[in-house]
Amino acid sequence: MASTDTTTGPEGATGSATEAKAASGTGTLSKPGSVSEPEPESASGSGSGAGSPSGSGRGSDDLAGLEAGLDALDSVQVRHVPVREILVRKVLPPVVAVAVVLAVWQLLVSAQVAEAGKLPSPGAVWDSFTAMWLEGTLFGVLWTSVSRALLGFLLALAIGTPLGLLVARVKPVRAAIGPILSGLQSLPSVAWVAPAVLWLGLDDSMMYAVILLGAVPSIANGLVAGVDQVPPLFLRAGRTLGATGLKGAWHIVMPAALPGYLAGLKQGWAFSWRSLMAAEIIASSPDLGLGLGQLLENGRNNFDMPGIFLAILLILLVGIAVDLLVFSPLERSVLRRRGLLVRG
């Protein structure tokens, strides 16, 4: 066997300790037969500096900066809009448009593009308006038609909403009556006037039947389109939280489908108003009262062109007023809640 040369004395002890340190690589002496464990490195000696106070401070600053950035993305900067800017952006354009239409209208009358009496001037239509105002019949005519349309629309809303929800959520029902609803929506509502008169007679029930047949399919199809656009993740999350059946429809499906449903309501009102005008024009009777449709028909029978144009303008103004006062604010509110519209 090869002999091992050992050194005795103080120098030898020092040399053995030095060799043991070099062999272990830990800086401590290990007993024979035992496995030496390396000393944990100090946090200050690491190159990352994550455990140092300065590294922790930098991490906190980065996290705070990230949170501030996310908050800035979520926040909406609301500024006060001057009245002058509101007038210029929202009031002036329609006023200019109306002025241009009136100017072109008067220009056509002055150029005599139509035979005398067939195209009344704006002044003649205004005279017809003031005559109805002074007689006290203007508001009565407007209220007769508007009240019928609003009541018919509310009835269509009460029927079309559950029907649309049923069609959207139950596949057999959708397969059965879904195509029928689409066909009814494309059918001109004026086609229902003749059978409604024969079925119900010349009274308000006939008017409401025509309104329902014209508006219910539009409202139901709008809700079906809105439900089809609901992300499946919302439905799964609702079922996980226990929102099933009517509770899920009320708390999950209807809020998520609100934009499509609102579009269906807007279209349903348009169909209601057009259906009513068709019914009032065709089925005019003294027992039904004088509405805008009857006013238009009376102008045709009497060849009163200013009265005809006045009735057309009043029908148009009612449609614009309902859209501006009811549906436009609702639409802006829904879009603003979903972050799609910024109040400027």
Side-chain angles (χ1 to χ4, degrees):
M1 292 178 64
S3 61
T4 304
D5 187 10
T6 60
T7 306
T8 60
E11 294 84 353
T14 305
S16 300
T18 305
E19 293 175 0
K21 290 180 180 180
S24 63
T26 60
T28 58
L29 293 175
S30 59
K31 295 181 180 180
S34 64
V35 180
S36 60
E37 297 181 357
E39 293 182 355
E41 295 182 357
S42 61
S44 61
S46 61
S48 62
S52 63
S54 60
S56 177
R58 287 196 299 271
S60 300
D61 294 340
D62 293 341
L63 182 59
L66 178 61
E67 292 177 351
L70 294 176
D71 292 339
L73 289 176
D74 291 336
S75 62
V76 178
Q77 300 295 331
V78 180
R79 66 182 184 90
H80 177 69
V81 182
V83 178
R84 180 180 179 181
E85 184 177 349
I86 295 176
L87 293 176
V88 171
R89 290 172 52 188
K90 296 185 178 181
V91 178
L92 185 60
V95 170
V96 172
V98 171
V100 170
V101 170
L102 292 177
V104 173
W105 184 0
Q106 183 61 48
L107 182 63
L108 293 175
V109 172
S110 300
Q112 298 181 353
V113 295
E115 297 180 8
K118 290 188 177 181
L119 181 62
S121 64
V125 177
W126 176 256
D127 292 338
S128 180
F129 173 81
T130 54
M132 289 190 65
W133 177 276
L134 295 176
E135 292 173 0
T137 59
L138 179 62
F139 286 107
V141 171
L142 287 173
W143 177 246
T144 299
S145 294
V146 172
S147 61
R148 284 174 181 165
L150 289 178
L151 182 56
F153 176 73
L154 292 177
L155 292 174
L157 181 64
I159 297 173
T161 299
L163 179 61
L165 194 60
L166 185 65
V167 172
R169 301 296 294 165
V170 181
K171 292 183 179 179
V173 176
R174 183 169 192 165
I177 66 174
I180 298 176
L181 287 177
S182 299
L184 289 175
Q185 184 176 359
S186 62
L187 180 67
S189 55
V190 67
W192 292 109
V193 177
V197 171
L198 295 177
W199 292 339
L200 303 172
L202 289 174
D203 54 13
D204 287 338
S205 60
M206 178 271 299
M207 300 283 184
Y208 296 134
V210 175
I211 293 173
L212 291 177
L213 290 170
V216 168
S218 299
I219 296 175
N221 284 329
L223 182 55
V224 170
V227 172
D228 289 342
Q229 296 175 4
V230 175
L233 180 61
F234 290 2
L235 303 178
R236 291 197 296 268
R239 286 193 295 266
T240 302
L241 297 174
T244 58
L246 293 178
K247 186 183 294 185
W250 179 256
H251 294 286
I252 304 297
V253 177
M254 289 299 294
L258 192 56
Y261 180 51
L262 186 58
L265 293 182
K266 193 172 182 179
Q267 191 175 20
W269 162 255
F271 274 83
S272 299
W273 188 238
R274 293 192 306 183
S275 301
L276 176 64
M277 292 300 103
E280 287 184 350
I281 291 173
I282 296 176
S284 59
S285 171
D287 298 334
L288 293 174
L290 183 61
L292 291 175
Q294 286 93 342
L295 180 66
L296 183 61
E297 180 65 13
N298 292 341
R300 184 189 71 83
N301 292 331
N302 299 326
F303 203 74
D304 180 15
M305 290 305 297
I308 292 175
F309 271 74
L310 176 61
I312 294 174
L313 291 177
L314 290 177
I315 293 171
L316 177 64
L317 289 176
V318 169
I320 294 174
V322 172
D323 181 73
L324 292 178
L325 299 177
V326 179
F327 292 107
S328 292
L330 286 176
E331 188 175 10
R332 287 195 300 268
S333 177
V334 171
L335 294 177
R336 188 176 295 116
R337 290 181 180 179
R338 296 169 188 267
L340 301 176
L341 182 65
V342 178
R343 184 181 299 173

